[in-house]
């Protein structure tokens, strides 16, 4: 009876995250064959459905391909993944165009059976876990793991990175647990270890020192910890002296736990953060490096004598005679020595290849381990046959290939050792980021009035929210926080890439991991642990290194048939040479004196099998993406994965927002004209006193400018009586018995205040220069005109000019008026301008450009930019912008400098060039190496590639691809940018006391 089929459907508000890029609700992606435009038919990602099918009747990958093609022929299908091993298919589709029944019919039309079971998931329940996976050797392995994960019921998204040997899985905990996910990976033939889960972001392991045999005391400590507010879960492992706690960081923290343990035990027990937390990845890599190094050295101990007895000593008189001495019939001492020494290499140090082959074949695929096992087994067991026949025959003089199998395994172990060593260096960027956090922090104790009464040095991991920590000169900031006392300069280059120290004073924010330079600061911790900016950057870079670039699909497609094809070519090579020798198709002089035609054919076949390298293809893209994203992070450019890198290198049109992107986003006074005899300081004192009570951005700009005439940090202003704020016009108040009005022409006209011709001219001049003119009247007479502007960011003109030289078109889209927009565009050098645009109109402009054939990047910073950021092929968010804009973007510019737009595009181009070079090398190596190993050159040149050299070449190919990617670490931004002085923003202001008297 046919196995019953089951389907799980998941409706998820955040389902657009499963696509290569996210899609904003107002910018749906439509099936190509379906009519519809964004303005007339909207398919929101929130209505996207993912269905998990169990399909009965599939026996091989061809069956899976038939099912996949049948499903994808339907309109409205976004993605279809079929896992033949688990008899399941996972489909993402638009319910407006297709439904579950139609998908079932498509599967049945392909010759299989399907049924469904519906289950609803909520976005808020989605959790993410990161898993370390051991045993993956090539793209075929990572593809198998990814397909297995995606086919699990409750798994919404899965990404597997071969280069880091990690997986990131989005799942519904109501349907599946991370333990079940680990079991599924184990069942697929790999070893899985949980690195982290969103379930335990606020989780800590404590190591308890002391006598743990008092069970009553342990129970009392457990009860005390559980009674703390915010403690969610507690697990203890007395064998490891470990207590694990899950908690809410807003309510409690590790320092509270340590104090409770110390006080409850009356000081008999001490606790500290469990050693090794967060270092599991490095520990695994170091263990693997040591394992391969140790295996290589031991194999070398046995392989060198095998090589010497077969390749060197045979040419030394005396030793040759000794090795040729007969032990039994035609069996020689040399053959016995080689057999004995090569056996441990084959079955002890090469055992990992047998295990890998078994697991690979068990799951219905073939990887590099299969090629190595087949090649070395062919050489070893033919040699065993030759030795046994010699031992039982009086005339047989066979030739053994024990040196081939032993040297092959030794060289491959060396290659894997070098490959892992090199791959470890590709993730150095993350290691450097994680090492920025200081080991210790100085915790301040405050009394009820906020005065410091004591200080204590603690582990920086014990800092909790709302703690006040002291940062001395030369020390690193222990956590994100707010300066509550002190003044200093902080070097933030390690986080943002900003070279110049940033001034910090009371009220300013600081970032954990940055370096305090000269003054002492007291900082109130606001974000600790996984919430800190540094932790978020690390997670973003890790996530980016997990995400596959679309070009990786090329290697994935090749990996499906690469190994079987190589085995076929290898067998065909052996058969062709064997038959050619048997029927005398080539002269006997071609056959080496130590071999016969069968052995020569076997050598060619083994060489073909071991020279082919699927690993080089699999590592071509992920290693370059890892290094590229890491280099970007070190330069203040956070690239969210391979998709963003691949799209950015194609960009030929950039759409800029104006406010906060091309301009600094903060209004400032750029010009002051006095129309009466008055000291500028007194004038601004009166104006600031009136404006200080207003929340309008222009009023704040006036007050901020007036502070320059005061010596104090927080100056006091004269009292303003009868304050009135007139919406859309300005403010008025009585200051020092003078009636002060600050506002536009309408405010003055409404109060019958005459506006002099000079003031009118100054206002018109300000408007022509994209500035806002403000009138100030004192006792009914216009006393001055202020010009307020949002100035261009330094270097904006140069950046636009460089983009033109790179043949990239620049367009400005803004919600501001046409006059201001045209003025800014002229100043910066942009010819195409769109003004008074609403957020959806910005997105429409992006889509129109895409329809015209452009690959569009959008650069913005505000909430109103997020639709356009998502609609663009590449969204770039200015780092100082809103969280929503940063979330919607593909690339985040940490420094908020426009020059980084050029850096991001140039880095993506360099990275993609490196990926292309990797593919050229990996493909070229296989396309050239396999024919040479098959003996194409042998008839004309006599050149033959021995199997052990072929194996060495195979090992070297993977190492060379990784090293090629590592060269990206030396990336330098374009030299044109070095001449730009973009460090600080300086606003030139003019305060001319132009005195005019009307008699």
């Amino acid at each position: 009876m046919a196995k019953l089929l089951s389907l799980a459907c998941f409706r998820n508000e955040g389902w657009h995250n499963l696509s290569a890029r996210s899609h904003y609700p107002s910018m749906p992606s439509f099936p190509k064959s379906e009519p519809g435009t964004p303005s007339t038919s909207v398919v929101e990602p929130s209505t996207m459905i993912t269905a998990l099918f169990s399909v009965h009747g599939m026996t091989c990958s061809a069956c899976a391909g038939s099912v996949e093609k049948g499903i994808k022929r339907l309109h409205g299908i976004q993605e279809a993944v079929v896992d033949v091993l688990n008899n399941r298919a996972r489909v993402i589709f638009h319910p407006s165009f297709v439904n579950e029944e139609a998908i079932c019919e498509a599967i049945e039309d392909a010759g299989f059976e399907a049924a469904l079971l519906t289950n609803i998931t909520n976005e808020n329940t989605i959790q993410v876990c990161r898993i370390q996976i051991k045993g993956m050797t090539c793209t075929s392995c990572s593809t198998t793991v990814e397909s297995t994960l995606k086919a699990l019921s409750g798994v919404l998204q899965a990404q597997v990175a071969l280069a880091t040997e990690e997986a990131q899985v989005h799942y519904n905990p109501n349907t599946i647990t991370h333990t079940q996910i680990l079991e599924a990976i184990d069942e697929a033939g790999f070893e899985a270890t949980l690195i982290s889960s969103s379930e335990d972001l606020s989780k800590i392991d404590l190591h308890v020192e002391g006598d743990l045999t008092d069970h009553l005391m342990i129970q009392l400590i457990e009860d005390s910890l559980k009674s703390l507010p915010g403690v969610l879960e507690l697990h203890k492992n007395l064998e490891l002296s470990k207590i694990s706690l899950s908690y809410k960081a807003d309510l409690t923290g590790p320092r509270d736990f340590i104090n409770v343990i110390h006080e409850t035990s009356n000081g008999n027990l001490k606790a500290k953060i469990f050693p090794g937390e967060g270092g599991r990845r490095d520990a695994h890599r170091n263990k693997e490096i040591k394992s391969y190094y140790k295996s290589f050295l031991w194999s070398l101990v046995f392989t060198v004598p095998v090589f010497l007895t077969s390749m060197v000593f045979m040419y030394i008189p005396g030793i040759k005679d000794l090795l040729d001495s007969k032990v039994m019939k035609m069996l020689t001492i040399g053959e016995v020595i080689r057999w004995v020494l090569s056996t441990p290499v084959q079955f002890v140090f090469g055992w990992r290849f047998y295990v890998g082959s078994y697991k690979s074949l068990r799951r219905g695929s073939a990887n590099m381990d299969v090629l190595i096992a087949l090649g070395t087994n062919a050489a070893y067991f033919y040699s065993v046959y030759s030795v046994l026949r010699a031992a039982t025959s009086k005339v047989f003089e066979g030739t053994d290939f024990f040196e081939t199998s032993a040297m092959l395994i030794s060289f491959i172990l060396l290659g894997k050792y070098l490959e892992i060593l090199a791959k470890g260096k590709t993730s150095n960027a993350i290691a450097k980021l994680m090492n920025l956090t200081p080991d210790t922090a100085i915790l301040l104790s405050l009394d009820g009035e906020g005065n410091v009464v004591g200080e204590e040095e603690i582990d920086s991991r014990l800092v909790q929210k709302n703690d006040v920590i002291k940062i001395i000169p030369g020390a690193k900031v222990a956590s994100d926080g707010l300066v509550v006392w002190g003044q200093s300069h902080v070097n933030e280059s390690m986080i943002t890439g900003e070279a110049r120290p940033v001034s910090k004073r009371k009220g300013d924010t600081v970032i954990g991991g940055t370096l305090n330079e000269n003054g002492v600061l007291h900082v109130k911790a606001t974000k600790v642990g996984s919430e800190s900016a540094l932790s978020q950057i690390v997670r973003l870079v890790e996530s980016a290194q997990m995400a596959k670039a679309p070009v990786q699909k090329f290697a994935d497609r090749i990996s499906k048939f690469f190994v079987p094809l190589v085995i076929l070519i290898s067998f065909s090579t052996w058969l062709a040479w064997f038959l050619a020798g048997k029927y005398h198709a080539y002269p006997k002089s071609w056959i080496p004196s130590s071999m016969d035609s069968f052995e020569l054919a076997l050598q060619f076949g083994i060489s073909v099998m071991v020279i082919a390298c699927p690993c080089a293809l699999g590592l071509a893209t992920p290693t370059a993406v890892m290094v590229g994203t890491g280099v970007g992070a070190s330069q203040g450019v956070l690239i969210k994965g391979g998709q963003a890198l691949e799209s950015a290198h194609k960009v030929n049109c950039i759409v800029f927002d104006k406010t906060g992107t091309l301009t600094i986003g903060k209004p400032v006074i750029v010009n002051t004209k006095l129309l009466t005899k008055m000291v500028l300081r007194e004038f601004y004192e009166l104006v600031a006193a009136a404006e200080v009570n207003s929340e309008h951005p222009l009023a704040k700009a006036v007050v901020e400018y007036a502070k320059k005439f005061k010596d104090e940090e927080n100056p006091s202003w004269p009292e303003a009586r009868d304050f009135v704020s007139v919406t859309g016009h300005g403010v008025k108040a009585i200051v020092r018995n003078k009636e002060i009005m600050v506002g536009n022409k309408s405010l003055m006209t409404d109060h019958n205040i005459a506006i002099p011709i000079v003031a009118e001219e100054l206002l018109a001049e300000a408007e022509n220069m994209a500035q806002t003119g403000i009138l100030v009247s004192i006792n009914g007479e216009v006393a001055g005109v202020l010009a307020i502007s949002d100035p261009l960011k330094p270097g904006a003109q140069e950046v636009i000019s460089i983009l033109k030289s790179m043949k990239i078109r620049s367009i400005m889209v803004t919600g501001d008026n046409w006059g201001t927009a045209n003025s800014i565009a002229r100043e910066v050098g942009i010819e195409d301008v769109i003004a008074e645009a609403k957020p959806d109109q910005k997105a429409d402009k992006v889509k129109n450009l895409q329809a015209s054939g452009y690959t569009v990047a959008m650069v913005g910073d505000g909430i109103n930019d997020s639709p356009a950021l998502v609609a663009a092929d590449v969204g770039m968010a200015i780092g100082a912008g809103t969280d929503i804009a940063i979330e919607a973007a593909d690339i985040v510019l940490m420094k908020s400098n426009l020059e980084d737009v050029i850096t991001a595009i140039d880095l993506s181009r360099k990275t993609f060039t490196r990926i292309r070079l990797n593919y050229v090398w990996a493909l070229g190596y296989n396309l050239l190496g396999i024919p040479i190993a098959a003996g194409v050159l042998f008839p004309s040149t006599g050149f033959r590639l021995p199997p052990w050299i072929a194996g060495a070449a195979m090992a070297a190919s993977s190492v060379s691809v990784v090293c090629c990617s590592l060269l990206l670490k030396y990336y330098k931004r374009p030299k044109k940018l070095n001449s730009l002085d973009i460090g600080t923003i300086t606003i030139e202001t003019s305060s001319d006391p132009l005195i005019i008297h009307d008699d």
Side-chain angles (χ1 to χ4, degrees):
M1 183 178 178
K3 192 187 295 182
L4 290 177
L5 310 169
S6 62
L7 171 143
C9 295
F10 306 102
R11 296 180 183 269
N12 184 349
E13 296 294 331
W15 200 244
H16 53 277
N17 289 332
L18 283 169
S19 60
R21 307 189 69 256
S22 52
H23 292 278
Y24 195 73
S26 61
M27 274 70 64
S29 64
F30 293 88
K32 294 178 181 177
S33 56
E34 290 295 324
T37 60
S39 59
T40 59
S41 176
V42 176
V43 180
E44 297 193 8
S46 59
T47 63
M48 194 86 74
I49 290 179
T50 292
L52 181 66
F53 294 78
S54 178
V55 184
H56 177 70
M58 296 188 297
T59 57
C60 63
S61 57
C63 300
S66 300
V67 173
E68 191 171 315
K69 287 178 183 176
I71 296 171
K72 286 184 175 179
R73 285 195 187 103
L74 298 172
H75 300 321
I77 300 295
Q78 183 180 1
E79 182 182 291
V81 179
V82 181
D83 178 16
V84 68
L85 300 180
N86 295 298
N87 294 317
R88 291 181 180 179
R90 177 173 163 274
V91 185
I92 306 173
F93 62 94
H94 296 282
S96 304
F97 301 105
V98 69
N99 56 28
E100 296 90 341
E101 288 76 17
I103 297 171
C104 286
E105 288 175 9
I107 297 173
E108 289 168 1
D109 289 343
F112 305 91
E113 298 179 11
L116 55 96
L117 173 68
T118 303
N119 185 17
I120 306 297
T121 66
N122 186 293
E123 181 182 9
N124 296 328
T125 67
I126 296 174
Q127 293 185 345
V128 184
C129 68
R130 286 179 55 244
I131 300 167
Q132 186 179 79
I133 303 173
K134 300 179 185 177
M136 295 192 299
T137 58
C138 62
T139 315
S140 176
C141 301
S142 59
T143 304
T144 300
V145 175
E146 195 166 294
S147 299
T148 301
L149 290 172
K150 286 179 176 178
L152 292 175
S153 175
V155 171
L156 308 180
Q157 185 180 3
Q159 294 174 318
V160 180
L162 174 64
T164 58
E165 296 182 326
E166 290 181 10
Q168 183 170 284
V169 185
H170 297 248
Y171 64 98
N172 174 20
N174 297 327
T175 306
I176 191 171
T177 64
H178 60 70
T179 305
Q180 291 171 314
I181 294 172
L182 295 177
E183 289 173 356
I185 297 173
D186 288 335
E187 288 174 7
F190 302 91
E191 187 179 341
T193 308
L194 183 70
I195 297 175
S196 65
S197 168
S198 52
E199 298 175 41
D200 58 16
L201 283 180
S202 293
K203 181 179 178 180
I204 196 165
D205 296 329
L206 298 177
H207 184 258
V208 183
E209 298 175 346
D211 183 12
L212 301 179
T213 56
D214 189 343
H215 297 292
L216 188 63
M217 177 66 71
I218 298 300
Q219 186 61 48
L220 185 61
I221 290 173
E222 187 176 341
D223 294 340
S224 300
L225 288 170
K226 285 182 177 178
S227 66
L228 286 174
V231 173
L232 304 175
E233 197 173 19
L234 183 147
H235 297 288
K236 62 180 186 293
N237 186 335
L238 297 182
E239 291 181 4
L240 297 176
S241 304
K242 183 168 78 171
I243 295 179
S244 302
L245 294 126
S246 297
Y247 61 95
K248 292 182 180 178
D250 291 333
L251 301 176
T252 188
R255 203 168 64 254
D256 294 335
F257 307 146
I258 290 174
N259 290 338
V260 165
I261 292 171
H262 184 75
E263 292 171 5
T264 306
S265 65
N266 296 320
N268 294 324
L269 298 178
K270 292 183 179 180
K272 61 182 180 181
I273 294 181
F274 200 80
E277 181 178 336
R280 283 172 286 191
R281 184 199 295 110
D282 290 337
H284 164 63
R285 180 175 288 118
N286 291 334
K287 182 180 178 182
E288 195 173 19
I289 288 172
K290 287 179 181 177
S291 172
Y292 272 108
Y293 182 67
K294 185 178 179 182
S295 295
F296 167 67
L297 286 183
W298 275 107
S299 71
L300 212 58
V301 169
F302 291 89
T303 300
V304 169
V306 173
F307 173 77
L308 292 174
T309 57
S310 62
M311 300 287 189
V312 179
F313 293 160
M314 298 307 292
Y315 300 98
I316 302 177
I319 299 179
K320 180 182 184 304
D321 296 334
L322 177 64
L323 293 175
D324 286 342
S325 301
K326 303 294 188 291
V327 177
M328 181 187 299
K329 295 186 178 181
M330 298 303 292
L331 179 64
T332 65
I333 292 176
E335 288 173 332
V336 172
I337 291 173
R338 288 191 290 274
W339 186 10
V340 170
L341 291 175
S342 64
T343 299
V345 177
Q346 182 73 31
F347 297 108
V348 178
F349 311 121
W351 182 250
R352 66 179 74 235
F353 303 119
Y354 285 99
V355 174
S357 301
Y358 167 73
K359 290 180 177 180
S360 174
L361 295 172
R362 193 184 71 176
R363 59 178 178 265
S365 62
N367 61 7
M368 189 193 73
D369 289 335
V370 175
L371 295 179
I372 296 170
L374 283 174
T376 56
N377 277 340
Y380 179 82
F381 285 109
Y382 175 78
S383 301
V384 171
Y385 159 77
S386 178
V387 167
L388 293 177
R389 187 174 173 188
T392 57
S393 172
K394 294 181 180 179
V395 293
F396 178 79
E397 290 187 13
T399 302
D400 66 87
F401 299 122
F402 286 120
E403 79 285 349
T404 297
S405 66
M407 292 173 71
L408 261 176
I409 288 173
S410 296
F411 275 115
I412 290 166
L413 287 172
L414 173 62
K416 294 295 290 182
Y417 165 71
L418 295 174
E419 181 185 322
I420 295 167
L421 211 60
K423 281 200 297 186
K425 293 180 180 179
T426 61
S427 57
N428 276 355
I430 293 178
K432 287 178 181 177
L433 285 169
M434 295 177 77
N435 290 334
L436 288 177
T437 307
D439 295 328
T440 61
I442 300 174
L443 177 68
L444 297 178
S445 302
L446 309 178
D447 59 18
E449 297 179 358
N451 298 316
V452 178
V453 294
E455 60 182 55
E456 175 191 3
E457 188 173 72
I458 62 170
D459 189 320
S460 63
R461 294 174 293 179
L462 298 179
V463 174
Q464 298 176 189
K465 276 189 179 180
N466 300 321
D467 281 347
V468 177
I469 52 179
K470 179 180 177 181
I471 316 295
I472 59 176
K476 289 181 180 178
V477 179
S479 74
D480 294 4
L482 203 65
V483 177
V484 294
W485 179 88
Q487 186 172 339
S488 182
H489 285 80
V490 175
N491 184 349
E492 298 181 343
S493 61
M494 59 286 296
I495 302 292
T496 66
E498 177 59 65
R500 302 184 184 183
V502 181
S503 175
K504 299 292 181 182
R505 58 179 64 191
K506 185 177 179 180
D508 290 338
T509 57
V510 291
I511 305 172
T514 55
L515 184 67
N516 183 30
E517 296 219 328
N518 41 34
V520 177
L521 296 174
H522 291 180
V523 175
K524 184 178 182 180
T526 55
K527 292 181 180 179
V528 296
S530 60
E531 295 180 351
S532 69
L534 188 57
S535 295
Q536 291 177 35
I537 291 171
V538 169
R539 283 202 301 273
L540 190 150
V541 175
E542 285 178 335
S543 180
Q545 293 181 347
M546 293 290 302
K548 287 184 179 179
V551 71
Q552 175 68 20
K553 293 177 183 176
F554 172 70
D556 292 344
R557 284 196 297 269
I558 291 177
S559 70
K560 290 179 181 179
F561 58 82
F562 185 88
V563 173
L565 182 63
V566 167
I567 293 172
L568 180 62
I569 294 173
S570 174
F571 178 76
S572 301
T573 300
W574 168 80
L575 187 62
W577 278 100
F578 172 67
L579 293 176
K582 185 173 182 180
Y583 294 105
H584 309 293
Y586 59 81
K588 284 189 176 181
S589 59
W590 285 11
I591 304 173
S593 58
S594 60
M595 299 183 193
D596 58 26
S597 61
F598 176 86
E599 291 166 347
L600 179 66
L602 186 64
Q603 288 265 305
F604 282 125
I606 293 172
S607 293
V608 169
M609 195 171 292
V610 298
I611 200 171
C613 185
C615 293
L617 280 170
L619 293 170
T621 298
T623 52
V625 169
M626 283 181 69
V627 179
T629 51
V631 168
S634 68
Q635 302 219 7
V637 178
L638 299 182
I639 303 171
K640 297 182 180 179
Q643 170 73 41
L645 265 175
E646 184 163 343
S647 298
H649 98 279
K650 301 175 185 175
V651 166
N652 52 15
C653 178
I654 299 182
V655 178
F656 290 94
D657 175 48
K658 180 182 75 70
T659 307
T661 303
L662 291 172
T663 65
I664 66 172
K666 183 179 180 183
V668 294
I669 292 179
V670 294
N671 204 349
T672 307
K673 298 290 185 181
L674 296 183
L675 307 182
T676 183
K677 283 187 176 179
M678 196 173 194
V679 178
L680 200 60
R681 176 183 176 126
E682 181 186 353
F683 171 80
Y684 267 106
E685 200 167 49
L686 296 173
V687 174
E691 291 278 42
V692 75
N693 297 304
S694 173
E695 289 298 318
H696 196 280
L698 296 182
K700 291 182 179 179
V702 171
V703 174
E704 194 64 31
Y705 185 75
K707 287 181 181 179
K708 294 182 179 181
F709 299 97
K710 295 277 192 177
D711 295 330
E712 311 106 87
E713 185 178 332
N714 293 306
S716 57
W717 306 105
E719 182 185 359
R721 294 181 288 109
D722 302 332
F723 172 81
V724 177
S725 177
V726 184
T727 305
H729 296 283
V731 300
K732 61 179 182 177
I734 305 297
V735 181
R736 291 179 177 168
N737 297 320
K738 296 179 180 179
E739 185 183 40
I740 308 296
M741 287 191 188
V742 185
N744 55 23
K745 287 168 64 176
S746 299
L747 181 67
M748 304 300 160
T749 305
D750 291 347
H751 289 81
N752 300 317
I753 297 174
I755 302 174
I757 296 175
V758 175
E760 292 273 14
E761 290 174 349
L762 291 171
L763 288 175
E765 182 184 338
E767 288 178 10
N768 289 332
M769 296 176 65
Q771 299 169 354
T772 302
I774 294 180
L775 297 170
V776 178
S777 76
I778 300 176
N779 290 332
E781 291 185 1
V782 175
V785 179
L786 312 181
I788 296 181
S789 174
D790 182 5
L792 282 177
K793 284 185 176 176
Q797 293 168 309
E798 290 86 348
V799 167
I800 299 301
S801 176
I802 293 172
L803 287 173
K804 283 182 180 178
S805 69
M806 295 170 69
K807 301 191 185 310
I808 296 176
R809 180 184 176 189
S810 297
I811 298 173
M812 187 177 79
V813 180
T814 178
D816 219 331
N817 63 72
W818 278 100
T820 302
N822 283 323
S823 177
I824 292 292
R826 280 194 305 272
E827 191 175 350
V828 80
I830 292 178
E831 297 172 0
D832 299 323
V833 182
I834 296 174
E836 299 176 4
K838 295 179 181 178
D840 56 336
Q841 291 173 327
K842 291 182 181 182
D844 288 340
K845 176 60 180 175
V846 168
K847 286 184 284 184
N848 290 337
L849 288 166
Q850 289 170 328
S852 301
Y854 286 101
T855 301
V856 183
M858 171 71 194
V859 185
D861 75 318
I863 295 174
N864 62 341
D865 297 322
S866 57
L869 285 170
V870 177
D873 296 288
V874 181
M876 297 188 190
I878 296 292
T882 63
D883 291 339
I884 294 175
I886 292 172
E887 182 67 28
D890 301 298
I891 298 175
V892 179
L893 310 178
M894 295 287 289
K895 282 184 288 190
S896 300
N897 285 344
L898 283 173
E899 61 174 359
D900 285 341
V901 172
I902 296 172
T903 302
I905 292 173
D906 184 66
L907 176 60
S908 70
R909 289 180 177 180
K910 292 283 198 310
T911 303
F912 212 75
T913 299
R914 192 67 57 179
I915 290 172
R916 285 199 189 102
L917 191 61
N918 285 345
Y919 274 125
V920 167
W921 166 252
L923 281 173
Y925 163 81
N926 283 293
L927 292 175
L928 288 174
I930 290 175
I932 292 172
V936 169
L937 301 178
F938 186 65
S940 58
T941 65
F943 177 77
R944 179 173 59 87
L945 200 64
W948 64 272
I949 294 179
M954 184 270 285
S957 66
S958 296
V959 177
S960 62
V961 165
V962 178
C963 290
C964 184
S965 295
L966 281 173
L967 291 176
L968 273 172
K969 291 175 69 176
Y970 303 103
Y971 167 82
K972 301 291 183 186
R973 66 181 194 164
K975 292 181 179 179
K976 296 176 184 177
L977 297 180
N978 295 333
S979 60
L980 299 185
D981 185 17
I982 307 181
T984 56
I985 296 175
T986 306
I987 310 301
E988 293 184 5
T989 61
S990 172
S991 301
D992 299 334
L994 178 63
I995 304 169
I996 299 175
H997 297 284
D998 294 326
D999 294 328

